Amino acid sequence: MLSTQIIRNMSTANRLSQIKKLVVIGGGQMGSGIAQVSAVVGNEVIIVDQNEELLAKSRSTIEKSLQRVAAKKYKDEPEKGKTFVQESMSQIQTNTDAETAVQNADLVVEAIVENLKIKQDLFKSLDAVAPANTIFASNTSSLPIRDIASSTKREDRFGGVHFFNPVPMMKLVEVIKAPNTSQETFDALFTWSKSLGKTAVSCKDTPGFLVNRLLVPYTAEAVRLYERGHGSIKDIDIAMKLGAGYPMGPFELTDYVGLDTCKFILDGWREAMPDNPLFDGSPLMDKLVSEGKLGVKSGEGFYKYNNKGQKM
Ligand code: 3HC
């Protein structure tokens, strides 16, 4: 039986959104987070990834995160917290076959590797099998939605939903209207994002949308500031936390997001806009990434981390 809390979450969500059946392609950090927040409001969710091991890891990430949420939400009612976790988990299924998973989907959100060709190939194959009314969306952090959508025959039913890490905690979703996204599709994505308890903002299909367009050059400039010898990594982080009220300093944030992800975004923009100094690279980032020091996920980036992801 569903708990009162889940029913309340569901009825609020249903009033706000017609999207109830969600398929998330990619069970990494972002995909798992998107699946989690959708399951909590009663969406039927299927997570797709390449193999059972990755899917098991995704389920385990979600369960741990739900337990953190429950510990706070049901502080004095541990039994209710347990029910909340169990029922949210029961909304989530997994599948290694994307084409089977999308058969009944209202919405497919892709959160896979930031590679245009791989994303295009994925959506091209799903376009052939998904119902005509299924909306497609990408959680890309840097690629143009229009370029991904062009691989399908449903560009009007294709948009962007950009979430932030950690998805259960970050309150924003950027909803992106590409040139061919219909108003109806944009409205459905906007309403669905709000049904997850998030605040949605409307974005044009421009590089980095709003947040990353500001955040990525800012973190890159922090690295260049350090390279110029103007401050230590620790001091720059302290300065931005205490002087600007940011929850993390730029180096902590880059470690958290992943050095490879940040470098990839910057490299892509520099290639497209070589004259813009905001997108200049940095020898230190190149070196760390080439050494596999990618941040929290690899145990070392600008800082070192233990196996719980805590700074050492
Ligand atoms: N699931 C559930 N709860 C979580 C969580 C998760 N994954 N991560 C953190 N929390 C909860 C904790 O349980 C804790 O709850 P409490 O306050 O009741 O104890 C609370 O969040 C705070 O966590 P911590 O005490 O562990 O640590 P912090 O106070 O430093 O908060 C943070 C962690 C929320 C990540 C905060 O540091 C923060 O907001 N950092 C900035 C993150 C940010 O800028 N994200 C955007 C990155 S850009 C991006 O994602 C775009 C992409 O395209 C690159």
Side-chain angles (χ1 to χ4, degrees), residues 91-106:
Q91 295 292 116
I92 301 174
Q93 292 174 26
T94 56
N95 203 320
T96 51
D97 181 15
E99 292 188 12
T100 307
V102 301
Q103 296 295 332
N104 291 310
D106 297 322

Side-chain angles (χ1 to χ4, degrees), residues 109-164:
V109 175
E110 164 273 314
I112 61 169
V113 62
E114 282 288 272
N115 177 303
L116 181 60
K117 172 85 172 62
I118 296 176
K119 287 185 197 284
Q120 285 176 331
D121 288 349
L122 169 75
F123 277 116
K124 191 173 176 195
S125 73
L126 299 185
D127 193 32
V129 292
N133 62 334
T134 304
I135 295 175
F136 287 176
S138 174
N139 178 59
T140 178
S141 42
S142 63
L143 298 169
I145 299 293
R146 74 189 78 184
D147 291 354
I148 309 172
S150 67
S151 63
T152 71
K153 294 193 182 83
R154 61 177 85 201
E155 288 188 65
D156 58 327
R157 276 153 293 139
F158 204 121
V161 280
H162 185 220
F163 289 79
F164 297 85

Side-chain angles (χ1 to χ4, degrees), residues 30 36 65 68-69 72 141 162-166 168-170 211-212 215 247-248 253 256-257 261 265:
M30 299 306 290
Q36 176 179 333
S65 175
R68 288 175 84 173
V69 174
K72 207 172 347 176
S141 42
H162 185 220
F163 289 79
F164 297 85
N165 194 16
M169 298 304 296
M170 306 307 282
V211 174
N212 279 353
L215 207 52
M248 289 176 168
L253 183 60
Y256 188 68
V257 170
T261 304
I265 295 173

Side-chain angles (χ1 to χ4, degrees), residues 24-37 39 45-67 88-89 92-96 111 168:
V24 181
I25 314 280
Q29 240 172 11
M30 299 306 290
S32 298
I34 297 166
Q36 176 179 333
V37 295
V45 183
I46 305 176
I47 306 173
V48 176
D49 214 320
Q50 288 166 8
N51 58 54
E52 293 299 342
E53 199 185 332
L54 291 170
L55 289 169
K57 196 170 166 216
S58 171
R59 283 189 73 89
S60 154
T61 303
I62 294 172
E63 193 159 2
K64 281 188 201 134
S65 175
L66 283 168
Q67 280 159 356
S88 301
M89 288 305 292
I92 301 174
Q93 292 174 26
T94 56
N95 203 320
T96 51

Side-chain angles (χ1 to χ4, degrees), residues 12 56 187 243 247 260 279 293:
T12 309
D187 291 344
D260 51 342
F279 306 142
K293 293 176 181 164

